[in-house]
Amino acid sequence: MRFIEEVVVEEFLPTLRSMLAEELRERGLTQSEVAELLGISQSAVSKYVHGEVARNERLLADERVVDLVERLGDGLTDGEMSPVQALVEAEVVIRQLEQGDVLAQIHQNEVPELADYDGAFDVHDPDSDVRVAEQALASVRRGLTVIENTTDFARHIPAVGTNLVEALPDATSIEDVVAVPGRIIDLKGRPEIPAEPEFGVSEYVASVLLTARDHGSDARAAMNVRYDPTLVDALESSGHAAVEFDAESGIDDAIPTALAANPDADVLYQTGGFGIEPVIYVLGPDAPTVAGRLRDSR
């Protein structure tokens, strides 16, 4: 785990300080004066000026960093800029470079997993794509833990397998939905989760969730389990609204029709058809809640 702040401290600051120390010395300031303005020791100034500190070549050549050094050099030399103001100006540039820019790219080189997000995010943004996506993945993992810890869960797994899915807030396709690759199966009486959850690996359960969301449901998560009328009754007794849909009509037609009949439904079920296994879909705000609803209604 390597934070972008480490990139700032280890790559940006030595580069900026060395460039600024050179700039101020070229403007006639003494090492002592430079040290006071930058809040560092004279020996550190000497190392910066004499090239004894490693510098990042990408930052050295970045026009915004070069412009910042020139502005700080002007302001600090003529006294029109205080060290505090210089600090603020530097912080502004740092934040700009962190937002899908050169610092984010350097960070990505240090943490290759960030490449999945193309570096186009602000790591400090609480609503950034990377944070929202990681939260969805973590949520499904927590839901899977509930399943693994639910006694006799395997008997609820249909022949086609079970999946637990959670969509991003603005999901429009299965690529925006986290699920278990290959589905959860009954392996000798226990649920077998074949792999870590990923985006874009569920077609059917994700499609049910997306279709429900497209027709008024505010659910973010869903799970399919074996149809059992006593389970439907138990879910309804727990305060959930259940509605039946026609298994042979297809998701695109059946789910909208069912939700039109009961817009508040968070349990959708069908009792089977020719070559179609009966199944229940439990919807909810997140994966752990959905898994918990099944656990608490058995």
Side-chain angles (χ1 to χ4, degrees):
M1 181 182 296
R2 183 171 168 84
F3 295 96
I4 196 167
E5 286 78 8
E6 295 177 81
V7 174
V8 172
V9 170
E10 298 172 12
E11 302 287 344
F12 183 86
L13 290 183
T15 302
L16 175 67
R17 283 173 173 161
S18 66
M19 294 172 69
L20 187 52
E22 289 178 349
E23 183 79 14
L24 294 172
R25 287 289 283 142
E26 289 174 2
R27 292 169 183 268
L29 276 67
T30 66
Q31 284 193 10
S32 176
E33 290 171 329
V34 173
E36 183 176 356
L37 286 172
L38 299 187
I40 57 178
S41 67
Q42 289 190 49
S43 61
V45 173
S46 178
K47 290 180 180 179
Y48 285 135
V49 171
H50 291 93
E52 297 176 16
V53 175
R55 307 197 295 187
N56 185 287
E57 294 297 327
R58 293 183 65 182
L59 295 171
L60 278 173
D62 192 284
E63 293 182 0
R64 291 155 299 182
V65 178
V66 172
D67 176 69
L68 172 65
V69 169
E70 291 177 354
R71 286 190 291 111
L72 298 186
D74 286 339
L76 292 171
T77 300
D78 60 25
E80 292 185 0
M81 182 181 291
S82 69
V84 171
Q85 186 179 353
L87 175 64
V88 172
E89 292 294 320
E91 287 279 8
V92 169
V93 173
I94 288 171
R95 297 299 167 246
Q96 291 173 342
L97 299 183
E98 287 176 342
Q99 296 176 22
D101 213 308
V102 62
L103 287 178
Q105 293 160 11
I106 295 171
H107 190 208
Q108 180 178 306
N109 291 338
E110 300 289 341
V111 186
E113 294 84 355
L114 292 173
D116 293 340
Y117 304 96
D118 301 321
F121 62 90
D122 175 2
V123 74
H124 293 112
D125 179 5
D127 297 318
S128 68
D129 290 347
V130 64
R131 186 173 190 227
V132 172
E134 289 299 323
Q135 286 175 331
L137 286 162
S139 182
V140 172
R141 292 189 194 102
R142 291 194 300 273
L144 294 174
T145 298
V146 174
I147 288 174
E148 290 178 312
N149 293 332
T150 297
T151 303
D152 202 24
F153 176 86
R155 69 185 180 87
H156 294 290
I157 299 176
V160 295
T162 288
N163 217 326
L164 177 64
V165 309
E166 182 166 323
L168 295 177
D170 299 319
T172 59
S173 74
I174 63 172
E175 298 302 321
D176 302 320
V177 181
V178 180
V180 177
R183 298 193 181 186
I184 304 164
I185 62 171
D186 177 357
L187 182 63
K188 298 181 180 180
R190 64 176 181 82
E192 172 70 9
I193 300 170
E196 283 288 295
E198 299 177 19
F199 281 94
V201 294
S202 170
E203 291 188 16
Y204 203 79
V205 182
S207 295
V208 169
L209 176 61
L210 291 171
T211 301
R213 286 168 55 84
D214 286 342
H215 291 83
S217 173
D218 59 2
R220 285 272 307 279
M223 178 171 60
N224 68 310
V225 293
R226 183 189 303 276
Y227 172 73
D228 180 346
T230 61
L231 179 58
V232 174
D233 291 342
L235 286 164
E236 289 184 309
S237 296
S238 298
H240 301 291
V243 65
E244 183 177 0
F245 66 93
D246 182 1
E248 298 184 345
S249 295
I251 292 174
D252 290 341
D253 294 326
I255 299 299
T257 300
L259 289 175
N262 189 345
D264 297 325
D266 54 5
V267 176
L268 312 175
Y269 68 95
Q270 48 88 356
T271 57
F274 182 73
I276 301 173
E277 184 179 15
V279 68
I280 301 170
Y281 295 93
V282 181
L283 310 182
D286 54 59
T289 298
V290 167
R293 286 176 177 175
L294 176 64
R295 176 198 60 203
D296 297 339
S297 298
R298 295 178 319 109

